[in-house]
Amino acid sequence: MKAFLLVLALFLPIINAQVPHWGPCPEPATQPAFNLKKFMGRWFEIAKLPAQFERGRCIETNFTLKLDGTAHVVSSEILKGELRTIDGTCVVEDKKNPAKLGISFSYVLPYTPYWILSTDYENSALVYSCTDVLRLFHVDFAWILGRTRSLPAATVDHGKEVFTNNNIDVSRMILSRQQGCDKDL
């Protein structure tokens, strides 16, 4: 019982904005024949499951391929009128399934799953991340990304449908704020 309380105390700050779900993470299908090189570049957050670590607006991520096959990741948001950025590293965690990426924004933390469920590389992408806690419950994140700051409603609806068909609850998914991003802070 003490171990459970300790784990709960450690993970409570992480799941504060998230809704934990009972049981282990789902195993959604990922993008077949995923090409990391084609995925590189600038992606804008169009919709997301609420995340404690993303509270601003104009959220975007830029991926740059490095010579060693990893990618440099720069994510940014505008929060309280200030541009905030964070640098990280993206790796292919499963060579047999290259759409199963891992991202870390710290040298001391392990890579977090960053699975590409679907992308056409030129317009949109669906990304999923999930962390099991002792296989008792899981906390997940889902994003609909676009190469532009907006996507047609039909594209967003189709993305939600793909998540739902993969047993990912997106009933709490919200549209990201991408207005006024190119104005002075």
Side-chain angles (χ1 to χ4, degrees):
M1 183 60 149
K2 287 182 182 180
F4 177 74
L5 292 175
L6 177 64
V7 168
L8 190 60
L10 290 173
F11 282 96
L12 203 53
I14 296 171
I15 62 175
N16 189 24
Q18 281 59 63
V19 175
H21 304 279
W22 289 110
C25 291
E27 286 285 335
T30 56
Q31 174 80 21
F34 177 73
N35 183 323
L36 183 63
K37 186 175 182 181
K38 288 171 67 174
F39 190 75
M40 296 295 100
R42 192 176 189 190
W43 289 96
F44 299 98
E45 182 184 272
I46 304 301
K48 66 180 174 187
L49 288 178
Q52 179 67 23
F53 52 87
E54 292 181 327
R55 293 176 295 187
R57 61 184 178 86
C58 305
I59 297 173
E60 63 182 78
T61 303
N62 197 358
F63 295 85
T64 307
L65 196 60
K66 295 172 23 179
L67 292 176
D68 65 1
T70 65
H72 178 237
V73 181
V74 179
S75 288
S76 64
E77 68 178 347
I78 297 173
L79 184 62
K80 297 180 182 175
E82 180 183 325
L83 179 64
R84 297 178 182 216
T85 63
I86 186 168
D87 287 57
T89 301
C90 174
V91 298
V92 174
E93 289 200 307
D94 182 351
K95 301 288 185 210
K96 293 179 183 175
N97 188 347
K100 288 188 174 183
L101 304 175
I103 289 186
S104 180
F105 291 100
S106 167
Y107 291 109
V108 296
L109 296 175
Y111 287 96
T112 301
Y114 193 86
W115 294 2
I116 312 303
L117 303 192
S118 175
T119 186
D120 63 3
Y121 303 101
E122 296 175 11
N123 298 297
S124 64
L126 304 178
V127 180
Y128 181 67
S129 181
C130 188
T131 302
D132 273 324
V133 180
L134 301 175
R135 298 191 58 83
L136 296 174
F137 65 93
H138 66 274
V139 178
D140 55 4
F141 307 91
W143 297 272
I144 298 174
L145 306 178
R147 291 290 191 184
T148 58
R149 291 196 186 275
S150 65
L151 288 174
T155 303
V156 173
D157 290 342
H158 175 72
K160 289 179 179 180
E161 184 179 313
V162 170
F163 286 124
T164 300
N165 290 342
N166 279 284
N167 298 315
I168 299 165
D169 178 8
V170 291
S171 60
R172 294 182 62 246
M173 185 168 267
I174 58 173
L175 292 176
S176 300
R177 294 175 294 154
Q178 290 288 349
Q179 296 81 22
C181 300
D182 299 321
K183 296 179 182 176
D184 292 332
L185 300 176

